[in-house]
Amino acid sequence: MTQPPPPPNQPPQQPGFGPPQDPSQQPAQPPQNASQQPAQPPQQPSAPTGPDLNKAPEPGYGYPQAPQSAPPAAPPAAPQGPGYGYPQQPPAAGYGYPGQQPGPYGQPQPGAYGQPQQPGPYGQPGYGYPQPPTMPMQPQPGGGKKFNAQMAIIVAAVVAIALIVGGGVWYASGKDDDKKTTAEGGGGKEEKNGEGGGGTGGSSSGGGAKEKAPADTASKVLFQVPAPKVPKGVSSIDTSGSWLTDTVYAKSGIAEIVGYDRAKGTEKWTIDLPGPVCSATMHVTEDNKTAIVHKPAMPAKGEPQACTQVAVVDLEAGKQLWSKSAKSGTMPISFNNVTLSGGTVAAGSTSGGAAWEIASGKQLWAPKTSDSCYDSGYGGGEKLVAVRKCGSYEQRQLHIQTIDPKSGNVVTEYKMDEGIEYAAVVSTDPLVVAADVGDSAGDGSGISDFFSIDNKTGKLRQRISAPGDDFAARCDAIYKMENCTGLTVGNDRLYIATEEHEGSGDSYGQTNEVVAFDLATGKQTGQRADAGDDYEITPLRMDGGNVIAYKRPPYDKGGQIVSIDGGTFKQTVLLENPATESVRDVEGRMLPTSAELLYSQGGLYMSKVYASDFSTGDKEYLVIAFGTG
């Protein structure tokens, strides 16, 4: 997994911001449920070369001790090497971190090694700093391959053992009460904005898919939107947020949202905002409503402005329906994140969370001064899930709560082990959260483990170890709890990209795979979709029971959108972009870890999440759109 950005610059905090030190200053403790202890995987033999995706990784801090023996290992994975396209990052955190509020998402941190860099986002909204385009390196002479006859014999032997075992990763459960608290997966329905539903519980048939391969998969550039110029004296402004309806592609600009004809790129409407967008949800209602957080005015020197306004916009009509704020005590809340679920828009912060009716803007709840805990963020979609923080900094306990979107009442609750400071909501149905336990990921990705939780009981189903050395997913668990890339959830499975490693055959390039974990057992299913030599594959979303993924290309080809069958893992190419240099230059700047990628109905829309005064000398674009047919 790759390095995340340091928290962006932020205006001074109002009183009460930041993780509370005094319990009397925190939001109301929910009902107490017994937390479940995670199961511990035993160690597995390492593969001859590359990342062994079938081993049980070294557990992080706070992980229960494993039994001393384990079943035989499954087949080894492909070799590992340094990945391309994942820039290194400076350490996150300045004074006051993590209590400080973020400023415009993706704003360069001054003095960070003296260079603006580009980290990774939400197949779906991402974050990052400007940098020159990162393209795969051309083959270098003298590299040589490290695969010989002896290694081939070793691999063949391990594969033979794996066939006997039946494939997958073996895990030993730490406690009996944790290993069989399984539940039916969520039967998610198809959503707007190019999102797939959660799939049916346990099914891997790949049914219900809507995206079909056209007769000719070669795409053409539909339109491009030039990068907007930032105001004088401002280095970077957030442009998070992009959405698709049947007729409109909508994208945040500088203090505006513009709706484009999704085939022609002509402007259909513009929604002017008083200040820049701070955060946006990827979710869109059935009637094309979505939500954003924005500033009440344009920032200026000495007046940076806080992210106090939550607004709902109609993407089809091109209208802002309402804009609201909320208070914690007497102080306006500066919100970090926003989401939608069940007719409710909910926004979270270090001062607590608030919610409103989408239709009317009526406030449903806000933090109380008597609260001893606070809602730092929410996950939306099929269900509404709160990440609720209790306790002081470094003595934190996170409560993962499925809540009623109308009343805010807790339906089920899972209490994570104390000391886990942050968690991201990967999926709400089935419920999956990601966390970096004890900072053991080691790469700043925000993920060392995934927690599969039963929505009906609040009990832990499985804890899945996902070390950063092996897997390329990442989440912004600090501020934007739904902002994850390199993974998707469906069919009661977690689909995740591996880290890049050395390719096969005569290739000197890098490659990776998508693998699947069963959320009921915590084991790998043995399914694997290879990117192919010199390509890098990243899951974007579900399409019924299939996985939609983007394949970042080598230097001389265009990117691809593929559909991975949820049952057979067979890949079908849905779109392949032009290989001309001018097009590749633009596409190469839209990394799936640091840009927003939406695919639907034969159209791929790639956009940046910031506008800045940093320039490579080439013409910069906010959006590039491709289409087939």
Side-chain angles (χ1 to χ4, degrees):
M1 301 177 199
T2 53
Q3 295 290 332
N9 294 333
Q10 174 64 17
Q13 295 297 309
Q14 295 102 344
F17 284 152
Q21 302 299 319
D22 183 352
S24 66
Q25 297 175 353
Q26 303 171 9
Q29 180 135 7
Q32 306 293 308
N33 288 343
S35 65
Q36 302 295 317
Q37 295 300 319
Q40 164 66 11
Q43 297 297 322
Q44 297 292 325
S46 61
T49 58
D52 183 358
L53 303 180
N54 299 313
K55 72 180 179 181
E58 188 70 23
Y61 169 78
Y63 213 110
Q65 294 301 309
Q68 297 301 311
S69 61
Q80 179 179 4
Y84 65 88
Y86 289 93
Q88 295 301 310
Q89 293 303 310
Y95 173 76
Y97 180 85
Q100 67 188 21
Q101 292 284 103
Y105 203 31
Q107 180 170 335
Q109 196 76 355
Y113 298 104
Q115 294 292 334
Q117 300 187 3
Q118 183 164 4
Y122 214 6
Q124 305 148 352
Y127 41 86
Y129 301 107
Q131 75 165 18
T134 306
M135 296 299 289
M137 295 180 64
Q138 299 192 28
Q140 299 298 316
K145 302 299 290 183
K146 299 179 181 178
F147 197 89
N148 53 30
Q150 180 181 2
M151 190 63 68
I153 293 172
I154 296 173
V155 172
V158 177
V159 170
I161 294 172
L163 291 174
I164 296 172
V165 173
V169 174
W170 291 87
Y171 284 84
S173 180
K175 279 196 173 184
D176 289 340
D177 60 355
D178 282 346
K179 64 184 178 182
K180 293 194 177 179
T181 54
T182 60
E184 290 290 321
K189 61 184 178 181
E190 184 76 12
E191 296 188 27
K192 300 278 185 160
N193 207 33
E195 295 178 48
T200 54
S203 170
S204 60
S205 64
K210 295 184 177 181
E211 306 293 354
K212 307 298 180 184
D216 183 0
T217 59
S219 74
K220 62 181 179 180
V221 176
L222 299 177
F223 60 90
Q224 298 176 92
V225 178
K229 294 187 180 299
V230 298
K232 186 177 180 180
V234 177
S235 61
S236 180
I237 286 186
D238 200 310
T239 58
S240 295
S242 57
W243 307 269
L244 280 172
T245 73
D246 289 341
T247 60
V248 172
Y249 169 73
K251 174 63 187 170
S252 295
I254 295 180
E256 66 179 8
I257 300 174
V258 181
Y260 303 91
D261 182 289
R262 58 177 290 166
K264 301 175 183 177
T266 53
E267 293 188 17
K268 301 187 71 170
W269 49 258
T270 298
I271 299 173
D272 292 319
L273 301 171
V277 173
C278 304
S279 181
T281 180
M282 65 175 179
H283 300 296
V284 178
T285 66
E286 290 296 326
D287 58 350
N288 297 312
K289 308 295 193 306
T290 194
I292 60 171
V293 175
H294 66 88
K295 296 186 175 185
M298 289 297 294
K301 188 175 181 179
E303 297 180 356
Q305 300 294 328
C307 301
T308 57
Q309 303 303 120
V310 176
V312 166
V313 298
D314 186 326
L315 297 171
E316 198 63 40
K319 296 180 180 179
Q320 177 178 295
L321 301 183
W322 52 260
S323 182
K324 303 286 185 178
S325 61
K327 292 183 178 181
S328 177
T330 60
M331 299 302 299
I333 298 173
S334 184
F335 293 103
N336 299 331
N337 54 76
V338 65
T339 195
L340 301 176
S341 182
T344 294
V345 53
S349 76
T350 55
S351 296
W356 300 263
E357 284 186 354
I358 294 175
S360 66
K362 175 186 175 183
Q363 189 171 86
L364 300 175
W365 67 81
K368 300 180 177 66
T369 55
S370 59
D371 287 346
S372 60
C373 304
Y374 67 95
D375 291 353
S376 61
Y378 300 93
E382 289 298 311
K383 295 184 182 294
L384 185 60
V385 172
V387 178
R388 190 165 179 83
K389 295 191 175 186
C390 298
S392 60
Y393 182 58
E394 293 185 346
Q395 291 183 324
R396 186 84 67 213
Q397 185 172 44
L398 301 184
H399 298 198
I400 309 301
Q401 301 176 334
T402 299
I403 59 179
D404 184 300
K406 298 298 183 186
S407 65
N409 293 334
V410 177
V411 178
T412 62
E413 178 181 68
Y414 171 71
K415 296 178 184 178
M416 304 188 78
D417 290 344
E418 287 189 10
I420 300 176
E421 291 290 331
Y422 308 104
V425 181
V426 177
S427 168
T428 61
D429 191 15
L431 178 53
V432 180
V433 299
D436 187 357
V437 181
D439 296 323
S440 58
D443 61 353
S445 62
I447 306 172
S448 67
D449 298 86
F450 293 96
F451 296 78
S452 173
I453 302 168
D454 189 332
N455 274 110
K456 297 179 181 178
T457 65
K459 293 183 178 180
L460 181 71
R461 300 174 69 192
Q462 292 294 334
R463 176 172 170 174
I464 301 170
S465 182
D469 288 344
D470 291 343
F471 298 99
R474 56 172 298 131
C475 292
D476 179 1
I478 298 176
Y479 296 122
K480 301 186 178 182
M481 279 69 178
E482 284 188 306
N483 197 348
C484 295
T485 60
L487 49 71
T488 190
V489 172
N491 303 321
D492 209 34
R493 287 166 170 77
L494 167 68
Y495 300 96
I496 183 171
T498 69
E499 282 287 5
E500 287 188 295
H501 54 80
E502 190 178 55
S504 62
D506 296 329
S507 172
Y508 291 85
Q510 302 289 299
T511 189
N512 76 325
E513 302 79 32
V514 171
V515 297
F517 284 90
D518 189 307
L519 295 175
T521 66
K523 300 176 183 178
Q524 280 196 47
T525 65
Q527 296 165 306
R528 171 172 161 155
D530 296 320
D533 286 342
D534 302 327
Y535 283 88
E536 178 191 4
I537 190 168
T538 301
L540 299 181
R541 64 173 177 89
M542 297 301 298
D543 172 31
N546 293 346
V547 177
I548 300 298
Y550 173 72
K551 293 174 73 171
R552 186 171 176 233
Y555 69 94
D556 58 347
K557 294 181 180 174
Q560 295 180 350
I561 291 291
V562 298
S563 176
I564 304 171
D565 186 277
T568 66
F569 254 47
K570 176 183 177 182
Q571 296 182 48
T572 301
V573 176
L574 302 179
L575 171 148
E576 184 165 12
N577 289 335
T580 56
E581 183 178 0
S582 59
V583 175
R584 295 200 319 267
D585 286 347
V586 179
E587 181 179 3
R589 292 181 173 93
M590 305 289 187
L591 302 179
T593 51
S594 58
E596 297 170 352
L597 275 64
L598 297 176
Y599 175 82
S600 176
Q601 302 175 28
L604 171 62
Y605 303 82
M606 310 175 78
S607 65
K608 291 186 176 180
V609 295
Y610 58 84
S612 74
D613 60 0
F614 177 81
S615 175
T616 63
D618 297 326
K619 187 171 183 179
E620 300 287 338
Y621 291 93
L622 179 67
V623 177
I624 184 168
F626 301 92
T628 58

